[in-house]
Amino acid sequence: MALVALATLGAQAKVRLPHMIGDNMVLQQQTDARLWGWTQPGKMVRVTVSWSKDVVTAKADKQGQWLVKVVTPKASYEPLSITFDDGEPLTIRNVVAGEVWVCAGQSNMEMPVKGFGMCPVEGYNDVVIDAKNHQGVRSVKIPSVMSSKPLNDAQCEWRVCSPRTVGEFSATGYFFARKMHEALDIPIGLIEANKGGTRVESWLTKENLEKYTNDPTDSVEICKRWVDYDYHRSLLWGNGTFNPILNFTVKGILYYQGCSNVGDQGNQYSERMKLLVEQWRSQFALGEIPFYFVQIAPYRYDDDNNATNGALLREQQFKAQSLIPNSSLVCINDLVYPYEFSQIHPTQKQQVGERLAYTALNRDYGFESIMYKSSSFKDMLIKGDAVFIHLQDNYWADAPFEDMQGFEVAGDDKIFYPASAQHFWQPGGAYWDEAIRISSPKVKNPVAVRYCFKNFQTGNVKNAGNLPLFPFRTDNW
């Protein structure tokens, strides 16, 4: 019994770290990075780092928790170490300083480079071969678990990119990190905290759910409501899968989610997206960190390509970026093949991640010449049997010059017909100088235009950055 007591005392004396603070970790560069853990209540923890002579100490509270902040160095590939000492030292090694981004959302963010069953990622073998060139990319996958209470730890470990490990990385996240690594030549860290099938409500706190939604917050009631679809459950996924990362110091958040909220009424989705970002920024306590998110791809919701449930959700996502400060939406309406109308996980993930990277590089890293915005509808003029429209954020180019696909036009009867569209320019400045002219022989007196405003419809209009036009409608029918 004495030996057991002594062993127990020794185990309690040793400082314990959350699993995501460990070997191979990426620290956010040039900031006050938070480090935390547990020891005996009232004990002092001494933290020393290999890049500085400074020593930081903290006293564990009544629950044995402690937290310190350390000033991190400029990004580099130099291996660093950190020692935590509460009487028995613990050292983590091969740490690097770089840029750390969170990969949040549902299955299209969770989808690994090696793909899901029956859902491949395009170019997998080439990615494996190339992985040896991107050992500066590292990731940690937070296990997707539910919890009735917020968890402060998760069973995970940091992975260094290699041909052996890259297949497990989030595909969207990895392609973002790979492009960032190429552009910046510094370590890039990904924290993958996501779960397939989750709704935006899955990540809201109990307080926000009770104040702004009708979702239950008692775990028993939550499970009763979503018996067959546990991935739709509110609160529990945020408690178990996202809460463990909130003390970590990060640069920003990447988010790919929305499919499970298709069918939400009115402005519910955009308002709850705004609420979620406000919540996460408050929880991270790092200020108005960047939030870059992905518009859902075309898909046959309700087994109907021509219905508009998916289009209405995309419209809400487009609205959300105007409600959320320091945010930007990536359009991927062109990144599905015609045969993928029933594939919720499109294979083209490289372009998704790279478009997120272009956004971050332009907005946060000084690459001001990168074209990262998709064009969107600006205004229109109706003249005779044609509609003339202007786009914004097109970088002075709308392509192709002829045979633009994806437009529809309607008259007072509210029936939309496929329309022809091409560049229009009238010498002398008539009809709005240069515009896109849209018309249909079936609509003599047009009143409204739509572009790819269906569950599954892909157009071909792009801007000078080869980025697709956001789907839109000019009506409110």
Side-chain angles (χ1 to χ4, degrees):
M1 290 176 63
L3 289 174
V4 170
L6 184 62
T8 302
L9 181 64
Q12 291 176 340
K14 187 173 183 178
V15 67
R16 181 168 70 86
L17 301 175
H19 286 77
M20 65 182 305
I21 296 180
D23 295 345
N24 306 317
M25 175 176 65
V26 181
L27 282 172
Q28 180 61 35
Q29 66 163 328
Q30 295 180 302
T31 190
D32 294 328
R34 294 178 295 230
L35 303 170
W36 71 99
W38 303 268
T39 187
Q40 286 182 311
K43 263 208 161 188
M44 294 296 297
V45 177
R46 186 172 183 267
V47 180
T48 57
V49 297
S50 63
W51 62 88
S52 170
K53 295 181 179 180
D54 294 340
V55 177
V56 184
T57 60
K59 184 178 181 180
D61 64 16
K62 294 179 180 180
Q63 286 72 46
Q65 300 176 358
W66 55 266
L67 182 147
V68 300
K69 293 182 179 180
V70 298
V71 178
T72 55
K74 184 178 180 180
S76 79
Y77 301 110
E78 178 186 355
L80 309 172
S81 64
I82 307 172
T83 297
F84 305 86
D85 193 347
D86 65 348
E88 184 176 352
L90 171 64
T91 300
I92 62 174
R93 307 181 189 280
N94 197 31
V95 176
V96 291
E99 293 291 282
V100 182
W101 287 80
V102 177
C103 298
Q106 59 181 108
S107 56
N108 272 298
M109 180 62 86
E110 186 178 29
M111 186 177 185
V113 171
K114 67 181 182 182
F116 288 140
M118 304 303 292
C119 305
V121 170
E122 194 170 69
Y124 167 74
N125 286 338
D126 289 336
V127 175
V128 171
I129 293 169
D130 177 64
K132 66 181 185 299
N133 299 314
H134 298 285
Q135 296 179 41
V137 175
R138 302 179 180 190
S139 81
V140 56
K141 177 68 171 81
I142 309 302
S144 300
V145 298
M146 292 181 285
S147 174
S148 60
K149 301 293 183 182
L151 301 183
N152 54 19
D153 194 11
Q155 294 290 327
C156 59
E157 62 181 6
W158 284 87
R159 306 169 293 198
V160 178
C161 178
S162 71
R164 181 179 59 83
T165 63
V166 71
E168 303 296 334
F169 284 43
S170 158
T172 296
Y174 176 69
F175 290 124
F176 164 85
R178 186 174 75 171
K179 185 58 66 176
M180 296 283 286
H181 186 232
E182 291 173 357
L184 301 174
D185 194 17
I186 60 173
I188 305 295
L190 302 174
I191 300 174
E192 303 177 27
N194 42 58
K195 167 60 183 175
T198 48
R199 303 175 303 133
V200 67
E201 294 83 1
S202 303
W203 308 103
L204 292 175
T205 60
K206 179 179 181 179
E207 294 73 20
N208 278 332
L209 287 166
E210 290 176 344
K211 186 174 181 179
Y212 297 104
T213 79
N214 293 320
D215 280 20
T217 56
D218 175 80
S219 58
V220 174
E221 295 303 316
I222 292 171
C223 294
K224 284 181 179 178
R225 177 172 294 191
W226 293 285
V227 174
D228 298 324
Y229 303 100
D230 64 351
Y231 44 81
H232 282 172
R233 291 172 181 169
S234 53
L235 180 64
L236 305 182
W237 294 108
N239 280 346
T241 307
F242 208 87
N243 206 77
I245 77 171
L246 291 173
N247 274 339
F248 208 89
T249 304
V250 302
K251 176 66 175 182
I253 301 171
L254 310 174
Y255 188 73
Y256 189 171
Q257 185 274 335
C259 299
S260 293
N261 284 96
V262 168
D264 286 2
Q265 298 301 305
N267 294 322
Q268 178 175 298
Y269 184 80
S270 59
E271 292 169 354
R272 292 183 181 179
M273 276 289 298
K274 179 177 183 292
L275 177 65
L276 177 62
V277 177
E278 289 172 347
Q279 170 190 300
W280 280 347
R281 285 173 173 168
S282 175
Q283 289 175 313
F284 275 113
L286 297 169
E288 205 170 80
I289 56 176
F291 180 80
Y292 304 142
F293 60 122
V294 181
Q295 194 174 54
I296 59 172
Y299 175 74
R300 185 186 61 185
Y301 294 97
D302 299 326
D303 293 327
D304 187 348
N305 287 346
N306 294 319
T308 60
N309 284 347
L312 291 169
L313 194 282
R314 291 184 204 104
E315 185 176 63
Q316 282 295 296
Q317 291 179 308
F318 186 81
K319 181 177 182 179
Q321 70 174 336
S322 66
L323 301 177
I324 302 169
N326 197 19
S327 72
S328 188
L329 179 65
V330 168
C331 180
I332 60 167
N333 202 66
D334 59 329
L335 297 183
V336 292
Y337 293 112
Y339 59 81
E340 290 185 308
F341 61 87
S342 61
Q343 175 54 276
I344 197 71
H345 304 121
T347 187
Q348 300 177 71
K349 288 294 185 285
Q350 178 175 335
Q351 298 93 323
V352 181
E354 289 179 348
R355 289 176 188 178
L356 287 165
Y358 297 149
T359 303
L361 289 168
N362 178 288
R363 294 171 62 102
D364 303 300
Y365 298 96
F367 286 75
E368 297 177 358
S369 60
I370 285 181
M371 301 176 186
Y372 75 94
K373 294 182 179 181
S374 279
S375 51
S376 59
F377 172 77
K378 182 179 181 182
D379 49 29
M380 74 176 187
L381 170 71
I382 299 173
K383 191 169 182 67
D385 63 352
V387 180
F388 299 82
I389 70 168
H390 284 150
L391 305 179
Q392 58 190 0
D393 297 323
N394 62 354
Y395 302 106
W396 309 284
D398 300 321
F401 201 79
E402 301 285 351
D403 194 28
M404 293 179 172
Q405 301 291 323
F407 287 99
E408 295 179 303
V409 65
D412 288 328
D413 60 1
K414 300 183 180 181
I415 298 175
F416 282 91
Y417 296 93
S420 62
Q422 58 276 324
H423 282 268
F424 180 88
W425 181 76
Q426 179 76 24
Y431 304 157
W432 255 9
D433 299 317
E434 192 166 1
I436 298 174
R437 183 183 187 277
I438 303 165
S439 64
S440 170
K442 295 184 178 181
V443 182
K444 298 302 182 184
N445 297 296
V447 298
V449 171
R450 290 184 174 185
Y451 177 75
C452 293
F453 205 79
K454 294 180 179 179
N455 282 347
F456 190 92
Q457 185 179 16
T458 58
N460 65 347
V461 181
K462 297 192 176 185
N463 62 18
N466 200 37
L467 299 172
L469 170 63
F470 276 110
F472 70 86
R473 59 173 174 165
T474 65
D475 63 278
N476 61 0
W477 303 334

